[in-house]
């Protein structure tokens, strides 16, 4: 990298120190003005969002995977309408880069009307499908602020379609990566730049239209800010933007103070690095002191030879998703809100890889770090005993997001590429201390985002949904169970050839642990049926078509169909009409002891198909009659028996740990793990060591 | 054959709202009105009370009035109460096997639909709304149609028989059939209906309909097609019973004709020709239609209509004399639906909006969206409300006379207003009660102003060039405030202000809207070619026209008077969002008209992208929307508001009272006028207060109120006053 | 009330500085140490919880990669915590509250 990008190491996505001008300008903003004009900025952001949603081409734009934001002259995020909470930090660093390196460079410079673009993580962005357009705002000769519009474009000209290639071994396999670059002047995008973008990707129409739409949204925000300047002067606006940051910071610190000081820990594991399966360690220690919180990921596995790497700021961005949906769900999308909160990832670990690493699937992996962090935070929040904080305690949403990426010739003979949003944006919401999670209720990174109709996907792409229902036994059991994700099986249809990659993780190792005794959400494979096999089902009208993956297996056995169960994350391949591909979206984990679950609720879950009879019997120990109704007496007895069994089988800690620590996963599983069991530790701790190696 | 026009010259227009039932009568061109509390247990009581009050000035008996009334238009929001209480028939859903959970998956995060943004962010409290169709009442049948409408898996009739047996065993009272892509090919849905009819003749299933999603919403997107069908099935009985009851009472009083239901598409239709979902928000829509009619009679093209009630604030936009904007993603209660619903934006602001201080966030003053509702209502109602509201602020500031609220229907307690504001706003911020009240007013005015601003600009227009119509109980009290916030200089107020939605109904024509999905490519950039197959286009329109004629004939309308207008929903590139544009002509004649259509669309895009010229992409026609109406509404007579040169008379005030008008926060003795007694040509320069029946006009300094014929009051910002929020002294430490 | 709830099932008795089961009231050991030391532990094969009765790989966690450790209250056998770990991976010291600062905070509140 020719130019210095040390911003990220220095965490410059956080607010810069206040300038004297800002400090003075804040005094101009009264309570009343403050309330009035923050309303104005917020509604301007919504206006901008509406423009992306109504005019954007990429599915993710309609689904709300976008962000519109106002920034100070220094580039700090003052206020954003976050579809995607990730973007709480992504636009600031590119702006600061432009200020540091280009503003005073005679070959570039920075002037009114400039239009900038960035989709490069090394310069502060996320993975390259997340593309940001940003525009400086000048009043006379003074830079008073910036506006940005970001959104996910599911095609980047990488070695596989869809923007997240499983086979990428380094950055050079991941396609279009643009550092902060001026793509337009005088508020117009240069035609040659659009031509350049179109030339780099499989779906030219999408990137050129959406980039133009993002500019249009930026200009809307700019217009609104200038109207305030007109009414109240530029100093007022400078003060307003800074005051939002300052007040958000105070509010956030006050809330952090309410958590008990201490250390809270959670360790989760990733079971793929893209090209193949491997056990990867994701340990989180949340250190809370006074009004600060640090999420420390020391002990994570080393950098991976695949796309499941991240940089530290990307991990941070994923933690903000949990903060803004739970702990700070009532706080404004401002960099001030994040002031009390920090992250540490070891350089060289897969969470903080070097700049050459492939990272395009960071957004698939980093939610595990997010969930580990959230489970630590949940424990601190619960222990705070504060009513309004308890109301935000919840097992995090399903993080093992699974989807299809694809590209090829669609039913209209047109080349398209993209992602199926249906399974990806419909993860389960986790269980809560007083209620179950919600089926298909979460789009992990996007607060107010949506999925799309089955008919919507079938209108655009050459396949039809064979089944699309809640996935049975896919969420985590507990006193309150997690919300289920959906199970989605598609048949390729009306296409000469369509490249499909099933995408995601947790086919061997569960990615979503529960809270306070709740079990984890389940693993699931990728499912394929190739060749004319499926014709056997269509041929015989008396063979019922499957309603979920369980019935699919049954039918396959009965009719003699070859079903391939693969890790969900495998490199894609070319399918033709008639082939079948299936994935199962992410369920969420449970809360509390299964034996405390209301047996009636278990019966209801069986009736609605969210859990199987097997689970009711073997996991919940609930006795149902033939007709599915609850046998309360028998259930009470079976619960009593299970408690006795627990006490009979369980062992004291020291005795248990002695035996347990003798074990070890197979060598092939640990190929990329790093030093077992703690990649950070110099040498393996003593076997009898009774305290966890995950202590910081 | 008759027109929709009243022949006797007597029409009754009723709007049944949650709190009040409004009634507007026209008798030989003269308009009178009445208001009464809504009586939820038996709506006809409130209905007749309002009618009786309206009759008073006429000195006629109710029954004699009814006997020679020939049109009775009815709008209601009450059908929705059934929804809120979840009382309705036990419904079953038959869908495509493999998609049984479609209704519960929705578009993901279905739990967030219909919730305010703040609640949508609180994932930890997320809950799905209680289902109108229980999961165990959903059955899948083996069948499949693809996006081209081709059958790729025939319907297995055995599955249908089993499904029916299963549902009937569970006491199903109504069946919704919603299959994937039934919009592209309804064959299977219809086959299922046939089987139901053969297997279970009327006697079994009672009179509850088997609803096909392809009949209710013949458009793609299975989720909203299904929810809309579900709501129709769920509310049907409730609304029918409600109206039959009213019908009976009316017949007792010798009213012979059928009820005309006000529709949210902006027209009326016979009850028997009305889907219950068409009545959702029909009141507010009638208000906008009335405002549009009034605007046309005054020669005003572009306006913003605002209806500020006790607890709500609805707004609508009229451009070139017609409301033409449809909700982009309409939601009924907690379900996203697919309806050609004229857009009425409701925001959480109104007399009942609660003011509070957000201590965690820089002691920021926030007003709404929480509302005290009508029960317990603002603190000054003295019905148990303790939180300070906008109405309380109006009382403290002296705008509202506690002894003459709603024409004295309700006595307000000023002390409670002071106490509430002192405790919850003034104390925490160290402001005086007066200052706090003034801030509450400005914050809520600004909030309403911003919402209006956003609505108009999102439609590609500059609100500052619009005229504001303010009605509803609170409109005239706050309109100058929110007009300034959004930079509008001219406001019109009407005598019918407090019953404006009922008034609006009186202007409505008999209208039907038909939609049909018929995908075709208008422009293909790969080949740079335009639509050539014009027959398919024209045949679709002809088919829709036939449907319209059938309905109009059934309503006994004179077809020669029917006016038709065609709109198209188009898609740009692979964007799933459809853009709606109006077609100049009902038929495509030649390539010329095709190019025009395409140009029309490009300009539409340009207006949305604020002049950024978007690259070329394919443009597909998705849906045809044909609207037919037969004139029948009472049109307000043409009226010209004089240029302002005519001699003005400053009328004598009827009394004076103290009110606060600026940041100096001093009570000024302010003239009070009885609006009823004002004459055409009267002019009042603010500050001033007008006491009207059921509402209070507030005329701040810098504004002037001029009285025109027919009780139309025009408020305008005097020259030299710029419509910008006034800087107020800082209260930050 | 010197018992401060910390999890769904655990409280800390601030006076005695011991962990306490919120279901049966049993004392579970020094509150300045890992509460897990005072619990009874049981290892489960993931198929016992997650297989749905199917013997299909990838329909439940791979037992050679992943084990489930259940931790019960010795008094009432309530499932207080569960960990999913690779076989042989140390257990997590998940809650390590600064007891002195917690007491101080509570004192502070009281004195206000």
């Amino acid at each position: 990298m020719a130019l210095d990008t040390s911003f990220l190491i220095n965490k410059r996505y956080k607010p810069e120190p206040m300038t004297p001008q800002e400090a003075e300008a804040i005094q101009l903003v009264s309570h009343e003005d403050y309330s009035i004009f923050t309303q104005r900025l917020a509604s301007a952001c919504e206006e901008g969002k509406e423009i992306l949603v109504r005019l954007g081409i990429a599915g993710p734009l309609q689904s709300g995977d976008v962000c519109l934001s106002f920034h100070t002259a220094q580039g700090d995020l003052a206020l954003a309408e976050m579809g995607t909470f990730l973007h709480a930090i992504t636009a600031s660093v590119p702006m600061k880069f432009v200020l540091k390196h280009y503003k005073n460079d005679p070959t570039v410079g920075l002037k009114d009307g400039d239009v900038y673009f960035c989709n490069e993580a090394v310069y502060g962005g996320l993975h390259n499908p997340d593309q940001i357009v940003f525009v400086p705002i000048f009043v006379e000769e003074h830079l008073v602020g910036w506006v940005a519009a970001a959104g996910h474009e599911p095609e980047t000209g990488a070695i596989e379609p869809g923007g997240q290639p499983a086979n990428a071994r380094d950055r050079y396999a991941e396609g279009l990566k643009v550092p902060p670059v001026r793509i337009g002047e005088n508020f117009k995008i240069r035609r040659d730049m659009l031509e350049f973008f179109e030339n780099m990707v499989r779906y030219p129409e999408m990137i050129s239209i959406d980039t133009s739409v993002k500019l249009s949204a930026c200009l809307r925000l700019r217009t609104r800010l200038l109207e305030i300047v007109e009414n109240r002067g530029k100093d007022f606006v400078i003060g307003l933007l800074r005051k939002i940051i300052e007040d958000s910071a105070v509010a956030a610190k006050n809330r952090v103070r309410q958590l008990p000081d201490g250390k809270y820990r959670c360790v989760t594991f990733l079971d793929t690095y893209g090209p193949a399966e491997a056990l990867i360690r994701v340990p989180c220690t949340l250190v809370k002191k006074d009004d600060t919180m640090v999420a420390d990921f020391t002990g994570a596995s080393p950098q991976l030879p695949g796309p499941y790497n991240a940089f530290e700021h990307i991990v941070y961005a994923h933690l903000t998703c949990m903060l803004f949906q739970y702990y700070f769900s009532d706080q404004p999308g401002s960099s001030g809100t994040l002031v009390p909160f920090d992250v540490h990832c070891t350089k060289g670990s897969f969470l903080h890889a070097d700049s050459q690493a492939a990272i395009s699937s960071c957004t698939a992996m980093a939610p595990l770090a997010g969930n580990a962090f959230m489970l630590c935070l949940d424990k601190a929040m619960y222990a705070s005993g504060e009513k309004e904080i308890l109301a935000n305690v919840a097992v995090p949403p399903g993080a093992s997001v699974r989807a299809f990426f694809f590209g090829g010739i669609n039913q209209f003979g047109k080349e398209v590429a993209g992602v199926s949003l249906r399974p990806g944006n419909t993860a389960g919401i986790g269980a809560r201390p007083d209620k179950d999670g919600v089926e298909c209720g979460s789009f992990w990174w996007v607060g107010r985002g949506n999925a799309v109709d089955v008919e919507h996907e079938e209108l655009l792409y050459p396949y039809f949904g064979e089944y699309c229902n809640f996935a049975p036994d896919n969420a985590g059991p507990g006193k309150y169970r997690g919300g289920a994700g959906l199970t989605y099986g598609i048949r390729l249809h009306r296409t000469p050839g369509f490249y499909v990659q099933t995408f995601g993780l947790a086919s061997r190792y569960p990615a979503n642990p529960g809270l306070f005794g709740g079990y984890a959400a389940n693993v699931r494979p990728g499912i394929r049926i190739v060749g004319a096999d499926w014709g056997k089902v269509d041929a015989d009208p008396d063979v019922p078509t499957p309603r979920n993956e369980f019935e699919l297996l049954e039918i396959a056995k009965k009719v003699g169909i070859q079903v391939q169960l693969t890790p969900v994350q495998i490199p894609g391949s070319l399918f033709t009409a008639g082939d079948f591909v299936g994935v199962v979206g992410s369920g969420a984990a449970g809360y509390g002891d299964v034996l405390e679950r209301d047996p009636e609720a278990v019966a209801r879950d069986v009736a609605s198909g969210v859990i199987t009879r097997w689970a009711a019997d073997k996991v919940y120990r609930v006795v149902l009659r033939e007709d599915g109704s609850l046998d309360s007496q028998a259930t009470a007895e079976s619960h009593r028996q299970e408690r006795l069994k627990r006490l009979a089988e369980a062992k004291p800690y020291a005795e248990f740990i002695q035996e347990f620590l003798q074990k070890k996963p197979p060598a092939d599983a640990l190929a990329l793990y790093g030093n077992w069991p703690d990649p950070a530790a110099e040498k393996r701790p003593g076997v009898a060591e009774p305290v966890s190696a995950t202590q910081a | 054959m008759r027109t929709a026009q009243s022949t006797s010259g007597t029409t009754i227009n009723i709007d049944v709202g949650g709190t009040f039932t409004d009634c507007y009568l026209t008798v030989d061109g003269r308009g009178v009105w009445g208001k009464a509390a809504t009586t939820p247990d038996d709506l006809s009581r409130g209905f007749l009370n309002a009618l009786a009050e309206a009759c008073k000035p006429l000195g006629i008996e109710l029954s004699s009035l009814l006997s020679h009334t020939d049109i009775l238009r009815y709008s209601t929001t009450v059908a929705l109460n059934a929804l809120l209480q979840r009382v309705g028939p036990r419904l079953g859903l038959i869908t495509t096997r493999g998609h049984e959970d479609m209704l519960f998956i929705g578009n993901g995060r279905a739990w967030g639909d219909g919730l305010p943004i703040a609640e949508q962010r609180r994932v930890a409290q997320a809950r799905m709304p209680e289902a109108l169709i229980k999961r165990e009442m959903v059955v899948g049948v083996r069948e499949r149609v693809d996006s081209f409408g081709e059958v790729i898996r025939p319907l297995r009739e055995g599955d249908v028989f089993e499904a029916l047996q299963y549902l009937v065993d569970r006491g199903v009272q109504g069946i919704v059939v919603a299959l994937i892509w039934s919009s592209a090919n309804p064959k299977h849905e219809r086959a299922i209906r046939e089987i139901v009819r053969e297997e279970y003749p009327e006697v079994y299933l009672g009179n509850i309909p088997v609803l096909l999603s392809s009949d209710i919403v013949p458009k793609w997107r299975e989720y909203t097609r299904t929810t809309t069908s579900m709501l129709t099935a769920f509310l049907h009985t409730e609304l029918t019973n409600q109206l039959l009851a009213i019908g009976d009472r009316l017949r007792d009083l010798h009213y012979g004709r059928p009820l005309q239901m006000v529709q949210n598409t902006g027209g009326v239709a016979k009850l028997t020709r009305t889907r219950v979902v068409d009545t959702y928000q029909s009141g507010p829509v009638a208000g906008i239609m009335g405002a549009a009619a009034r605007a046309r009679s005054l020669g005003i093209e572009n306006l913003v209509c605002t209806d500020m009630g006790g607890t709500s604030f609805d707004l609508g936009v009229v451009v070139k004399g017609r409301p033409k904007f449809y909700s982009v993603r309409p939601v009924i209660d907690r379900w996203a639906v697919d309806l050609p619903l004229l857009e009425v934006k409701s925001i959480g602001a109104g007399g009942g909006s609660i003011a509070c201080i957000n201590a965690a966030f820089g002691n920021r003053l926030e007003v709404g969206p929480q509302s005290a509702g009508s029960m317990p209502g603002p603190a000054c109602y003295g019905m148990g409300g303790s939180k300070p509201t906008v109405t309380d602020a109006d009382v403290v500031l002296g705008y509202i006379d506690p002894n003459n609220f709603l024409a004295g229907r309700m006595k307000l307690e000023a002390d409670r207003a002071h106490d509430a504001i002192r405790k919850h706003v003034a104390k925490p911020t160290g402001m005086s009660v007066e200052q706090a009240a003034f801030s509450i007013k400005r914050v809520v005015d600004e909030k309403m102003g911003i919402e209006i601003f956003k609505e108009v600009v999102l439609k590609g227009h500059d609100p500052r060039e619009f005229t504001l119509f303010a009605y509803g109980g609170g409109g005239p009290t706050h309109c100058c405030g929110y007009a300034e916030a959004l930079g509008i200089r001219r406001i019109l107020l009407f005598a019918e202000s407090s019953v404006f939605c009922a008034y609006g109904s009186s202007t409505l024509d008999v209208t039907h809207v038909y939609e049909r999905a018929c995908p075709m490519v208008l422009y293909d950039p790969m080949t740079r070619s335009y639509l050539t197959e014009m027959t398919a286009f024209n045949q679709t329109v002809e088919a829709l026209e036939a449907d319209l004629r059938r309905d109009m004939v059934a309503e006994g309308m004179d077809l020669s008077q029917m006016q038709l207008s065609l709109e198209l929903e188009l898609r740009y590139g692979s964007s799933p969002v459809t853009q709606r544009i109006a077609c100049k002509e009902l038929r495509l004649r030649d390539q010329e008209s095709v190019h025009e259509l395409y140009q029309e669309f490009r300009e539409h895009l340009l207006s949305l992208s604020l002049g950024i010229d978007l690259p070329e992409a394919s443009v597909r026609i998705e849906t045809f929307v044909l609207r037919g109406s037969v004139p029948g509404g009472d049109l307000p007579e043409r009226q010209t508001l004089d240029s302002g040169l005519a001699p003005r008379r400053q009328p004598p005030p009827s009394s004076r009272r103290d009110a606060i008008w600026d940041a100096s926060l001093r009570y000024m003795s302010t003239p009070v006028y009885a609006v009823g007694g004002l004459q055409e040509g009267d002019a009042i320069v603010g500050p001033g207060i007008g006491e009207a029946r059921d509402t209070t006009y507030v005329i701040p300094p810098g504004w002037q109120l001029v009285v025109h014929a027919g009780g139309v009051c025009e408020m305008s910002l005097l020259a030299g006053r710029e419509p910008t929020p006034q800087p107020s002294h800082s209260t930050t430490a | 009330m010197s018992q401060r709830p910390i999890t769904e099932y655990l409280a800390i008795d601030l006076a005695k500085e011991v962990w306490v089961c919120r279901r049966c009231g049993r004392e579970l050991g020094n509150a300045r140490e890992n509460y897990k030391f005072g619990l009874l532990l049981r290892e489960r094969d993931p198929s016992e919880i997650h297989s749905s009765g199917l013997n299909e790989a990838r329909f439940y966690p791979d037992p050679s990669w992943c084990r489930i450790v259940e931790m019960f209250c010795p008094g009432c056998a309530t499932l207080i915590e569960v960990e999913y770990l690779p076989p042989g991976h140390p257990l997590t010291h998940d809650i390590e509250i600064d007891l002195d600062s917690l007491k101080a905070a509570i004192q502070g509140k009281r004195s206000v």
Side-chain angles (χ1 to χ4, degrees), chain B residues 11 15 35 90 281 314 393 432 452 531 601 628 643:
Chain B
T11 75
D15 177 37
K35 209 179 185 55
R90 186 170 171 79
Q281 278 195 345
D314 296 336
S432 69
I452 298 166
L531 174 72
F601 177 71
S643 62

Side-chain angles (χ1 to χ4, degrees), chain A residues 678-692:
Chain A
D678 179 3
E682 280 315 306
K683 58 180 196 1
R684 179 178 173 170
V687 168
E689 175 67 63
V691 272
S692 161

